[in-house]
Amino acid sequence: YSGYSSRTKFYTLFFIEASLRSIGDICFCSNPFSGLLILIGMLISCPKVAFLASLNLFAGILTAVLFLKIPLNEVRSGGVTFNNYLAGTVVALIADEDVLFKSPDIIVVSMVMGILTVIIWMGLNGLTASRLEFPLLNAPFHVMLVLYLLSGMASIYKPEDVFQIQGISESPLALNTSLGDEQMNNITRSFNLQETETNLIETTTTLPSALNLRDESLSPLVVEQSVDWEKVLCGIFLAPSQVFGTGNLMTSLLVYIGIFVYSPIMLMQSLTGATIGCLIGVGLSSSLEYEAVYSGSWAYNPLFTSAALGGFFLIFDVRSWLLSIVGSIVTTLTYSAMYKCNAPVLGIPFMVITWLLLPGIPAPEDAFQQDTQKF
Amino acid sequence: YSGYSSRTKFYTLFFIEASLRSIGDICFCSNPFSGLLILIGMLISCPKVAFLASLNLFAGILTAVLFLKIPLNEVRSGGVTFNNYLAGTVVALIADEDVLFKSPDIIVVSMVMGILTVIIWMGLNGLTASRLEFPLLNAPFHVMLVLYLLSGMASIYKPEDVFQIQGISESPLALNTSLGDEQMNNITRSFNLQETETNLIETTTTLPSALNLRDESLSPLVVEQSVDWEKVLCGIFLAPSQVFGTGNLMTSLLVYIGIFVYSPIMLMQSLTGATIGCLIGVGLSSSLEYEAVYSGSWAYNPLFTSAALGGFFLIFDVRSWLLSIVGSIVTTLTYSAMYKCNAPVLGIPFMVITWLLLPGIPAPEDAFQQDTQKF
Amino acid sequence: YSGYSSRTKFYTLFFIEASLRSIGDICFCSNPFSGLLILIGMLISCPKVAFLASLNLFAGILTAVLFLKIPLNEVRSGGVTFNNYLAGTVVALIADEDVLFKSPDIIVVSMVMGILTVIIWMGLNGLTASRLEFPLLNAPFHVMLVLYLLSGMASIYKPEDVFQIQGISESPLALNTSLGDEQMNNITRSFNLQETETNLIETTTTLPSALNLRDESLSPLVVEQSVDWEKVLCGIFLAPSQVFGTGNLMTSLLVYIGIFVYSPIMLMQSLTGATIGCLIGVGLSSSLEYEAVYSGSWAYNPLFTSAALGGFFLIFDVRSWLLSIVGSIVTTLTYSAMYKCNAPVLGIPFMVITWLLLPGIPAPEDAFQQDTQKF
């Protein structure tokens, strides 16, 4: 009986540690305390999202241990399942506000997606770890989420937003109703699903008659705005909250504290990346698009690139510091390109540019390989 | 004289065996008898397609042996040239019904494409086999067909369908004429080239006036339909015929018999994959799109993924069985995403998801590498 | 003092040699004299472009030597920085005619892009050279330019052309003004940015009323034209000038002479590839699109593929000659596909098809690996 009890205790502790490290690993902080701070931040601003994301994570850890037989130590580090928490978060964010009450089957969907995400992790990891020798980053999350968005699953839990999610504007009516809902706007903006508004205007302006009609009706809205630098500063601090889909400053600060607990250098690098993102965002936005900069959307991708290149995968020194700055610039350009093409952005700019620049440092190759194996 | 005769006999037998194994290898059945059953199935339903595909295959085998000097044993196994038969089939299917009489130069095109396909096979195989250690699957076919479709070659042999093939709706007139032709509809649907109809409606509905106009004229067609489960079952059995571009049940059954002859486990896996595809297809289709499920379009990709993961590349056991189910689900989601984005689908979902999941099984790695080498 | 002087002399000569070899390496001629001929060709037809491209190259060589500590011999060969000269050329070409006077900050942009391009080279080279063992070709240039075009940076220096550059037609007015400017037309056509005209027509023709309106206004322009074979021949000779963005025959001939100086076989291969490109271009163009063939746009991609496969990376023999012909055909089909999809083409068809076919030759594998290391 005591043996049974100690095994229960072991697995409970294992499960808690693996979960918290997974949450922390999203921000490169494989540290239970950092994970706890981030979790608290999410519970403050969006408990329902945190609940659904935890279900996804729970299913993922169970699958990794029971079905995939991944060694416990590897699962405990959080590297196997941090994609699950990310995927669960975004799935919950995309769904309707009160989807938990309207369609309780989203609980089943969350858990099934947890199983799929961790199996995709296993497949991709087999490819990158042993053959290409570079870290997988959040590729399984991207595969799963792009499929979820484009396959039509996302629209099941957000019926009135079907065409926005798929990046297609269906009717001006659908748009108008959604414009009132600020919360939803926030969510869709952060994943670049909201571009329909611009789309609609572009489509109609190709017709001279529609153009004239529009010009009059739109003119009161189209007012030149100058940059509000206080809000830009705000955008830098809001960057991490974009990853977890809330525009909540408290959540953001808790994430930054979590990063600081893990490593002050990582915090400095994260803030540098976010600042570069916001500044380039101001430069490449028209005066009507500054909102995206203020919300931190332009900042979360370079934040991650900067942390990955200048602290996590490479030892921090002058060279890796310069590389992380270049990485942040190129990541922001990639964000801008995807944003302007109406593609679902997620964390793809960070992932692609980190893959692209990481193999370039020739000297500390050994350090990198060690990190990769750990990762 | 006798030596000459025996060499002739040897090459004739070699050529017949390589051809039949190539045809069988499309369904993972590197077995002359399976290939013969599939060939008979095609001769029953679409002899002209089988003729043009065989020309492509003939040119491919000749190129592989004479110009590329690939060892005879490798060519005989069918792995080198099964992409040729696939490419020949789809090129013939996309062309006009009576293209053989209208433009006999399609015979030359078929043979030139045979040469190109096998050379692309050689290039890609050099990359994946020796460097990445994963099977090439039908990538050469996809490269060749996507180029054929998008470069404008396809439209030469189907002039009135130019813009459908390129995924662009040109005029409502072109559409109406094509709607009458059910056979062509079948073909274009299976390669997802027919999405123009939906496109057109989406485009026009962004304009209120066009919307009103359309709503009236379309309303008689837009009738809510419930799922007809008998037809869904039919879709499961029609799945293989979609690969060979015919909606013929007889062809499909002969393909299934060919798979059974090769391995009963492979047949079970194929049917499981096709079933998962059809069920998810019903879940993600609107009531107007069930036809695609009934025709088997949703089923042929998961069919292949299931067979590849749970029998061909991995030894069949509980773990690979579960992996094949997960693979079928993710493949169907990929199919749905590509279908809804109006991308040319072909077998791309199967290929991508198999690449993605196959390296994930860590234990029978040796078995996999052996299979790869054989492949 | 004398030691200082000899170091200055050494670095001056090093810098000149690295620059000229970089310029030559764009056409696979790592030879200072070939580079000098190409530079003279550019100074004749577009000195401002040559000036901005040289700034980019200068910043790139400095970064490679001082910051990245790449061995001097590797930088001298030109393989590290030829992407810089290409990127600088295209950035200058896309900008306004008199951007140097209007926005002198393009000088800073050119140099920053030089730093970014060479760092992207280092990252990608780490991936391909040591892990995948294939040459990088002009991938860093493509990454940088696609980001520059799509992120909105390009439009800063060509404000009136914003939507053309992004591949989106905004208003018919913007289009009409640009139609008068033949020089700009030339530039945008070569990078496939000009497709807006066709786009516009396609969009409007989905509406019957707009269709009728257009048909009348467009009809005087839509005159069936037959192929002018002299102009096609001209297109073959103009091909290299497309790479450097001018439609100048003198520049083209100097490039061809530069290639001849490096190797007569390479010149023969280049002309073969360009000829194949133009012939297929005529076959796949409608009668209204022959201009693109005459300007050499269809020819520069197969030119490079042919030179790469049949002389530079593989020793010239019957087999590699046949491979270079197949490569030229497939490259032209890829060009056609991207052109008809309105994608930014640049040199992507050449790059992708060379990657795809190069690993296919099994015999002279050693020779290829040597070339790769040198490259």
Side-chain angles (χ1 to χ4, degrees):
Chain A
Y1 185 84
S2 135
Y4 172 75
S5 161
S6 74
R7 275 191 63 191
T8 310
K9 201 188 273 178
F10 172 78
Y11 278 109
T12 310
L13 284 175
F14 164 80
F15 180 79
I16 292 172
E17 189 182 343
S19 299
L20 292 179
R21 278 186 190 273
S22 293
I23 298 174
D25 227 14
I26 294 171
C27 301
F28 295 117
C29 303
S30 183
N31 180 312
F33 192 60
S34 302
L36 187 62
L37 284 168
I38 297 172
L39 182 61
I40 292 170
M42 286 194 70
L43 288 171
I44 290 170
S45 62
C46 44
K48 274 180 280 187
V49 170
F51 170 69
L52 284 172
S54 300
L55 282 181
N56 192 320
L57 182 57
F58 178 72
I61 295 174
L62 277 188
T63 309
V65 173
L66 297 182
F67 163 50
L68 304 178
K69 314 273 186 208
I70 297 173
L72 288 188
N73 273 340
E74 213 180 329
V75 177
R76 181 187 280 123
S77 77
V80 178
T81 48
F82 77 91
N83 280 283
N84 281 70
Y85 196 79
L86 261 185
T89 301
V90 179
V91 165
L93 282 168
I94 291 168
D96 251 344
E97 183 79 335
D98 48 356
V99 71
L100 271 176
F101 307 104
K102 273 196 208 155
S103 350
D105 52 316
I106 202 171
I107 288 171
V108 179
V109 169
S110 283
M111 299 189 78
V112 169
M113 281 195 62
I115 297 168
L116 298 183
T117 305
V118 81
I119 286 173
I120 290 174
W121 176 88
M122 191 181 62
L124 281 173
N125 193 56
L127 192 66
T128 59
S130 60
R131 292 168 209 202
L132 295 174
E133 285 170 20
F134 64 76
L136 191 48
L137 303 174
N138 46 1
F141 156 69
H142 288 138
V143 170
M144 204 59 232
L145 249 290
V146 168
L147 287 183
Y148 181 77
L149 285 170
L150 298 182
S151 72
M153 278 182 79
S155 61
I156 295 175
Y157 298 104
K158 198 168 196 64
E160 75 273 25
D161 200 32
V162 178
F163 295 96
Q164 281 203 316
I165 285 170
Q166 291 175 12
I168 301 157
S169 71
E170 168 68 3
S171 89
L173 299 171
L175 199 74
N176 290 337
T177 48
S178 70
L179 280 177
D181 185 349
E182 209 203 310
Q183 163 76 16
M184 199 189 78
N185 248 334
N186 267 334
I187 293 164
T188 47
R189 186 190 310 121
S190 51
F191 305 107
N192 240 11
L193 305 166
Q194 177 228 23
E195 292 306 293
T196 35
E197 192 182 2
T198 339
N199 261 350
L200 183 70
I201 296 168
E202 278 165 22
T203 315
T204 47
T205 45
T206 54
L207 289 147
S209 62
L211 191 86
N212 297 340
L213 198 82
R214 282 268 144 190
D215 266 358
E216 286 171 68
S217 58
L218 275 177
S219 48
L221 295 166
V222 185
V223 179
E224 280 283 320
Q225 287 178 301
S226 61
V227 186
D228 181 340
W229 291 103
E230 266 176 53
K231 284 190 181 172
V232 172
L233 190 71
C234 202
I236 295 169
F237 286 106
L238 279 171
S241 76
Q242 285 292 335
V243 181
F244 303 101
T246 71
N248 190 302
L249 193 60
M250 192 65 203
T251 309
S252 257
L253 292 179
L254 280 167
V255 175
Y256 274 131
I257 293 168
I259 296 173
F260 178 78
V261 166
Y262 181 73
S263 150
I265 287 178
M266 291 283 282
L267 178 64
M268 194 197 72
Q269 286 294 93
S270 300
L271 287 170
T272 309
T275 309
I276 291 173
C278 281
L279 292 180
I280 297 180
V282 169
L284 294 180
S285 294
S286 78
S287 59
L288 289 168
E289 298 172 314
Y290 289 147
E291 271 308 315
V293 180
Y294 301 157
S295 73
S297 296
W298 283 76
Y300 68 91
N301 272 291
L303 181 154
F304 282 140
T305 306
S306 181
L309 293 175
F312 192 76
F313 292 111
L314 302 171
I315 294 153
F316 179 75
D317 59 8
V318 176
R319 203 206 290 223
S320 69
W321 180 70
L322 283 171
L323 195 70
S324 72
I325 287 176
V326 169
S328 303
I329 296 171
V330 182
T331 301
T332 314
L333 295 181
T334 312
Y335 178 87
S336 178
M338 294 184 77
Y339 181 82
K340 296 190 179 185
C341 292
N342 294 336
V345 178
L346 303 166
I348 293 172
F350 144 67
M351 180 182 76
V352 170
I353 299 303
T354 304
W355 278 347
L356 199 143
L357 291 178
L358 199 51
I361 291 274
E365 183 88 36
D366 299 326
F368 162 59
Q369 283 184 337
Q370 278 183 334
D371 270 323
T372 313
Q373 278 158 11
K374 202 214 74 184
F375 195 76
Chain B
Y1 186 83
S2 136
Y4 173 75
S5 163
S6 74
R7 275 191 63 191
T8 310
K9 202 188 271 176
F10 170 78
Y11 278 109
T12 310
L13 284 176
F14 164 80
F15 181 80
I16 291 172
E17 190 182 343
S19 300
L20 292 179
R21 279 186 190 272
S22 293
I23 298 173
D25 228 14
I26 294 171
C27 301
F28 296 117
C29 302
S30 183
N31 180 313
F33 192 60
S34 302
L36 187 62
L37 284 168
I38 296 172
L39 182 60
I40 292 170
M42 286 194 68
L43 288 171
I44 290 171
S45 61
C46 43
K48 274 181 278 187
V49 170
F51 170 69
L52 283 172
S54 300
L55 282 181
N56 192 319
L57 182 58
F58 177 72
I61 294 174
L62 276 188
T63 309
V65 172
L66 297 182
F67 164 50
L68 305 177
K69 314 273 186 210
I70 297 172
L72 288 189
N73 272 340
E74 214 180 329
V75 178
R76 181 187 278 123
S77 76
V80 177
T81 48
F82 76 93
N83 281 283
N84 281 70
Y85 196 80
L86 260 185
T89 302
V90 178
V91 166
L93 283 168
I94 291 167
D96 251 342
E97 184 78 333
D98 47 356
V99 71
L100 271 176
F101 308 103
K102 273 196 209 154
S103 348
D105 52 316
I106 202 171
I107 288 171
V108 178
V109 169
S110 283
M111 299 189 78
V112 170
M113 282 195 60
I115 297 168
L116 297 183
T117 305
V118 81
I119 286 174
I120 290 173
W121 177 87
M122 191 181 62
L124 282 173
N125 192 56
L127 192 65
T128 59
S130 60
R131 293 168 208 202
L132 296 173
E133 284 170 19
F134 65 76
L136 191 48
L137 304 174
N138 46 1
F141 156 69
H142 288 139
V143 170
M144 203 59 232
L145 249 289
V146 168
L147 287 183
Y148 181 77
L149 285 170
L150 299 182
S151 71
M153 278 182 79
S155 60
I156 295 175
Y157 298 104
K158 198 167 195 66
E160 75 272 28
D161 200 31
V162 179
F163 294 97
Q164 282 204 315
I165 285 171
Q166 290 177 13
I168 299 157
S169 72
E170 168 68 3
S171 90
L173 299 171
L175 199 73
N176 290 339
T177 47
S178 70
L179 281 177
D181 185 349
E182 209 204 309
Q183 164 76 14
M184 199 190 79
N185 247 335
N186 266 333
I187 293 164
T188 47
R189 187 190 308 122
S190 50
F191 305 108
N192 240 9
L193 305 167
Q194 178 229 22
E195 293 307 293
T196 34
E197 191 181 3
T198 338
N199 260 351
L200 183 70
I201 295 169
E202 277 167 24
T203 314
T204 47
T205 46
T206 54
L207 290 149
S209 61
L211 190 86
N212 298 340
L213 198 83
R214 282 269 144 189
D215 266 359
E216 286 171 68
S217 58
L218 276 176
S219 48
L221 295 166
V222 185
V223 179
E224 279 283 320
Q225 286 178 300
S226 61
V227 187
D228 181 339
W229 291 102
E230 265 176 53
K231 284 190 182 172
V232 172
L233 189 71
C234 202
I236 295 169
F237 285 106
L238 279 171
S241 77
Q242 284 292 335
V243 181
F244 303 101
T246 71
N248 190 301
L249 193 60
M250 192 66 204
T251 310
S252 257
L253 291 179
L254 280 166
V255 175
Y256 274 130
I257 293 169
I259 296 174
F260 179 79
V261 166
Y262 181 72
S263 150
I265 287 177
M266 291 285 281
L267 178 65
M268 194 198 71
Q269 286 294 93
S270 300
L271 286 170
T272 310
T275 309
I276 291 172
C278 281
L279 292 180
I280 297 180
V282 168
L284 293 179
S285 294
S286 77
S287 59
L288 290 167
E289 300 171 315
Y290 289 146
E291 271 307 314
V293 179
Y294 301 156
S295 73
S297 296
W298 282 76
Y300 68 90
N301 272 291
L303 181 153
F304 282 140
T305 306
S306 182
L309 293 175
F312 192 76
F313 292 112
L314 301 170
I315 294 153
F316 179 74
D317 58 9
V318 176
R319 202 206 290 223
S320 68
W321 180 71
L322 283 170
L323 195 71
S324 72
I325 287 176
V326 169
S328 303
I329 296 172
V330 182
T331 301
T332 314
L333 295 181
T334 312
Y335 178 86
S336 179
M338 294 185 77
Y339 182 81
K340 295 189 179 186
C341 293
N342 295 336
V345 178
L346 302 166
I348 294 172
F350 145 68
M351 180 183 76
V352 170
I353 299 303
T354 304
W355 279 346
L356 200 143
L357 291 178
L358 199 51
I361 290 275
E365 184 89 36
D366 299 326
F368 162 60
Q369 284 185 334
Q370 278 183 333
D371 270 322
T372 313
Q373 277 158 11
K374 202 214 76 185
F375 194 77
Chain C
Y1 184 81
S2 135
Y4 172 76
S5 161
S6 74
R7 275 191 63 192
T8 310
K9 201 187 272 175
F10 171 77
Y11 279 110
T12 310
L13 284 176
F14 164 81
F15 181 80
I16 292 172
E17 189 181 344
S19 298
L20 293 179
R21 277 186 191 272
S22 293
I23 299 174
D25 228 14
I26 294 171
C27 301
F28 295 117
C29 303
S30 181
N31 180 312
F33 193 60
S34 302
L36 186 62
L37 284 168
I38 296 172
L39 182 61
I40 292 170
M42 285 194 69
L43 287 171
I44 291 171
S45 62
C46 43
K48 275 180 277 186
V49 170
F51 171 68
L52 284 172
S54 299
L55 282 182
N56 192 319
L57 182 58
F58 177 72
I61 294 174
L62 277 188
T63 308
V65 173
L66 296 182
F67 165 49
L68 305 178
K69 314 275 186 206
I70 296 172
L72 288 189
N73 273 339
E74 214 181 328
V75 178
R76 181 187 279 125
S77 77
V80 178
T81 48
F82 77 92
N83 280 282
N84 281 69
Y85 196 79
L86 260 185
T89 302
V90 178
V91 165
L93 283 168
I94 290 168
D96 250 344
E97 183 79 332
D98 48 356
V99 71
L100 271 175
F101 307 104
K102 274 197 209 155
S103 350
D105 52 317
I106 202 170
I107 289 170
V108 179
V109 169
S110 283
M111 299 190 77
V112 170
M113 282 196 61
I115 297 168
L116 298 183
T117 305
V118 81
I119 286 174
I120 290 173
W121 176 87
M122 190 182 63
L124 282 173
N125 192 55
L127 192 65
T128 58
S130 61
R131 292 168 209 202
L132 295 173
E133 284 170 20
F134 66 75
L136 192 48
L137 303 174
N138 46 1
F141 156 69
H142 288 138
V143 169
M144 204 59 232
L145 249 290
V146 169
L147 287 183
Y148 181 77
L149 285 170
L150 299 182
S151 71
M153 278 181 78
S155 61
I156 294 175
Y157 298 104
K158 199 168 193 67
E160 75 274 25
D161 200 31
V162 179
F163 294 96
Q164 281 203 316
I165 285 170
Q166 289 175 14
I168 301 157
S169 71
E170 169 68 4
S171 89
L173 300 170
L175 199 73
N176 290 337
T177 48
S178 71
L179 281 177
D181 186 348
E182 208 203 310
Q183 162 76 13
M184 201 189 77
N185 248 335
N186 267 334
I187 293 163
T188 47
R189 185 191 310 121
S190 51
F191 305 107
N192 239 11
L193 306 167
Q194 178 228 22
E195 292 307 292
T196 35
E197 192 181 3
T198 338
N199 261 351
L200 184 71
I201 295 168
E202 277 165 25
T203 314
T204 46
T205 45
T206 54
L207 290 148
S209 62
L211 189 86
N212 298 341
L213 199 82
R214 283 269 143 189
D215 266 359
E216 286 172 68
S217 57
L218 276 176
S219 49
L221 295 167
V222 185
V223 179
E224 279 283 320
Q225 287 177 299
S226 60
V227 186
D228 180 340
W229 291 103
E230 265 176 52
K231 285 190 180 172
V232 172
L233 190 70
C234 202
I236 295 169
F237 286 106
L238 279 171
S241 76
Q242 285 292 335
V243 181
F244 302 101
T246 70
N248 190 301
L249 193 61
M250 193 63 204
T251 310
S252 257
L253 291 179
L254 280 166
V255 175
Y256 274 131
I257 293 169
I259 297 173
F260 178 80
V261 166
Y262 181 72
S263 150
I265 287 178
M266 290 285 281
L267 178 66
M268 194 196 71
Q269 286 294 94
S270 300
L271 286 170
T272 310
T275 309
I276 291 173
C278 281
L279 292 180
I280 297 180
V282 169
L284 293 179
S285 295
S286 78
S287 60
L288 289 168
E289 299 171 313
Y290 289 146
E291 272 307 315
V293 179
Y294 301 156
S295 72
S297 295
W298 283 76
Y300 68 91
N301 271 290
L303 180 154
F304 282 139
T305 306
S306 181
L309 292 175
F312 192 76
F313 292 111
L314 302 171
I315 294 154
F316 179 75
D317 59 9
V318 176
R319 201 206 292 223
S320 68
W321 180 70
L322 283 170
L323 195 71
S324 73
I325 287 177
V326 169
S328 303
I329 295 171
V330 181
T331 301
T332 313
L333 295 181
T334 311
Y335 178 87
S336 177
M338 294 185 76
Y339 181 82
K340 295 188 179 185
C341 293
N342 294 337
V345 178
L346 303 166
I348 294 173
F350 145 66
M351 180 182 75
V352 170
I353 299 303
T354 304
W355 279 346
L356 199 144
L357 291 178
L358 199 51
I361 291 273
E365 184 87 37
D366 299 325
F368 161 60
Q369 284 185 335
Q370 278 183 332
D371 270 323
T372 312
Q373 278 158 10
K374 201 214 75 184
F375 193 74

